[in-house]
Amino acid sequence: WLLSLNDDQKDGDEEDERNLIEPVVTETKSFWGTDKFKTTPLLTLLENDVRRAYDQDAKHQSTSLFGDDDDNDEIRSVLTDEQKEDYFKCTKLVFERVKNKKALIVEQDENKRDALMIACRNGNWQTTQFLLSQINVGNQRILIGREDKKSYTHFTHAVHGGDMEIVKEIYKLFVKYSKESVVAEDTSVVTIALQYGMIDIAE
């Protein structure tokens, strides 16, 4: 409904695209105060669409060995199936309204995480599949092997997400672009898998 308000306006489509691509300032409050950071609507959306199996217990509290920004003793509420579907519809809406798909795909947050990294990290197989369907070969080459501020790759995030289908799919891309050595050198992935009891992935 909000996006439809521009339908009768001159350059309404361009205005919608700017609103969906340009970073906005977001505030988060914690024990230490209020933090401000810039992120795009898509990245904010994906950050909240958490499907990780170990987060499905609403009482779960993370004790990450790696000090991850989104795991600081936060108790996550479990998304209902309806909420998951609504998040996915929002993701598709963004891509339907934005012509410059590359901007959506390669954009990074302040931790240098792109949309695919976030979807992988959240164990979101539905959105991971959708994002991969929107990424052409040229953009795949740009993404695969990219690292965030913690030197984590898409594969690291896939393991963190705990979804075996995502792990396998992302690994295939590393093989496709002859970057298996990046995976082999990532010493954190086994520890992450063991930390969260992901026996299938650890094996």
Side-chain angles (χ1 to χ4, degrees):
W1 180 80
L2 290 171
L3 292 173
S4 71
L5 296 178
N6 288 326
D7 287 351
D8 296 329
Q9 303 297 316
K10 183 181 179 181
D11 299 327
D13 289 345
E14 289 81 359
E15 182 65 22
D16 285 345
E17 182 150 344
R18 281 193 295 273
N19 289 335
L20 291 171
I21 288 180
E22 291 182 358
V24 295
V25 176
T26 303
E27 292 187 359
T28 58
K29 293 183 178 180
S30 68
F31 176 80
W32 294 274
T34 301
D35 296 321
K36 293 183 179 181
F37 59 94
K38 285 186 177 181
T39 185
T40 65
L42 177 63
L43 297 181
T44 300
L45 162 64
L46 296 179
E47 281 283 4
N48 288 287
D49 190 4
V50 181
R51 313 286 182 92
R52 290 191 294 246
Y54 57 81
D55 276 328
Q56 297 310 300
D57 177 0
K59 295 181 180 179
H60 167 76
Q61 286 186 297
S62 173
T63 54
S64 174
L65 299 177
F66 300 94
D68 295 339
D69 297 329
D70 57 353
D71 286 330
N72 50 354
D73 292 331
E74 177 183 0
I75 300 178
R76 292 189 180 275
S77 59
V78 179
L79 296 179
T80 65
D81 289 340
E82 182 179 1
Q83 288 174 317
K84 292 175 183 178
E85 191 57 34
D86 284 345
Y87 272 123
F88 184 59
K89 288 177 180 177
C90 287
T91 299
K92 291 197 295 184
L93 175 64
V94 172
F95 277 86
E96 288 167 4
R97 292 288 185 139
V98 174
K99 295 178 182 179
N100 187 0
K101 303 293 192 291
K102 181 178 179 179
L104 293 173
I105 294 297
V106 303
E107 184 65 44
Q108 296 172 301
D109 63 16
E110 292 194 346
N111 291 310
K112 296 184 68 177
R113 296 174 183 169
D114 55 52
L116 184 59
M117 281 183 177
I118 295 171
C120 290
R121 181 183 184 78
N122 285 341
N124 192 338
W125 175 229
Q126 183 182 33
T127 299
T128 297
Q129 285 180 298
F130 176 75
L131 291 176
L132 289 175
S133 75
Q134 304 296 309
I135 303 174
N136 60 34
V137 173
N139 289 337
Q140 282 184 1
R141 290 182 183 278
I142 294 173
L143 292 180
I144 300 305
R146 175 188 262 186
E147 296 182 348
D148 67 10
K149 276 189 175 180
K150 295 179 180 294
S151 300
Y152 290 175
T153 66
H154 291 86
F155 187 76
T156 318
H157 287 291
V159 171
H160 195 289
D163 186 293
M164 181 63 85
E165 293 301 321
I166 296 177
V167 173
K168 289 180 178 179
E169 192 64 30
I170 296 300
Y171 181 72
K172 286 180 186 177
L173 291 176
F174 276 80
V175 172
K176 179 179 179 180
Y177 296 110
S178 302
K179 294 186 177 180
E180 306 98 306
S181 61
V182 175
V183 174
E185 294 166 3
D186 189 346
T187 58
S188 67
V189 290
V190 174
T191 304
I192 291 172
L194 294 174
Q195 174 189 351
Y196 292 104
M198 304 170 191
I199 183 63
D200 291 342
I201 293 176
E203 289 179 335

